[in-house]
């Protein structure tokens, strides 16, 4: 009977350890999924920042072109003013 009791205790211990390991594996799996989501989110953020940098560059080019057109417009207004005098 003592051998049966020891075997029973060992089986319960084995189930307990398996349960703990299963919980730990599940927890680690959940952590890996959360980490993966954060990495993907960071990748998307980096991609968004890259797109914003490109848009900023294009806006700077457009601003420079507008500035040149304004300067040319001022020059044309001055020339027109002199011609009408």
């Amino acid at each position: 009977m003592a051998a049966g009791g020891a075997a029973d205790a060992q089986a319960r211990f084995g189930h307990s350890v398996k349960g703990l390991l299963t919980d730990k594996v599940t927890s680690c799996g959940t952590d890996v999924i959360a980490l993966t989501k954060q990495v993907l989110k960071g990748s998307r953020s980096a991609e968004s920042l890259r797109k914003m940098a490109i848009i900023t560059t294009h806006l700077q080019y457009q601003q420079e072109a507008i500035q040149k057109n304004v300067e040319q417009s001022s020059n044309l207004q001055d020339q027109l003013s002199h011609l009408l005098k």
Side-chain angles (χ1 to χ4, degrees):
M1 198 123 180
D8 191 38
Q10 192 175 16
R12 281 190 305 231
F13 179 74
H15 286 290
S16 175
V17 170
K18 284 182 184 178
L20 290 173
L21 286 174
T22 301
D23 289 346
K24 272 294 188 194
V25 168
T26 301
S27 175
C28 288
T30 302
D31 291 346
V32 167
I33 290 170
L35 179 61
T36 302
K37 287 179 180 179
Q38 285 296 321
V39 169
L40 290 174
K41 187 176 181 181
S43 296
R44 287 187 208 118
S45 295
E47 182 67 19
S48 294
L49 289 174
R50 188 182 73 76
K51 287 179 182 178
M52 288 173 61
I54 291 170
I55 290 170
T56 301
T57 301
H58 286 282
L59 288 173
Q60 288 172 340
Y61 289 142
Q62 289 177 356
Q63 189 250 345
E64 289 171 7
I66 291 169
Q67 184 67 33
K68 287 179 185 177
N69 286 336
V70 168
E71 290 171 5
Q72 289 176 353
S73 175
S74 294
N75 290 340
L76 289 175
Q77 286 177 354
D78 290 343
Q79 290 175 7
L80 185 59
S81 168
H82 283 53
L83 288 174
L84 295 175
K85 287 185 182 178

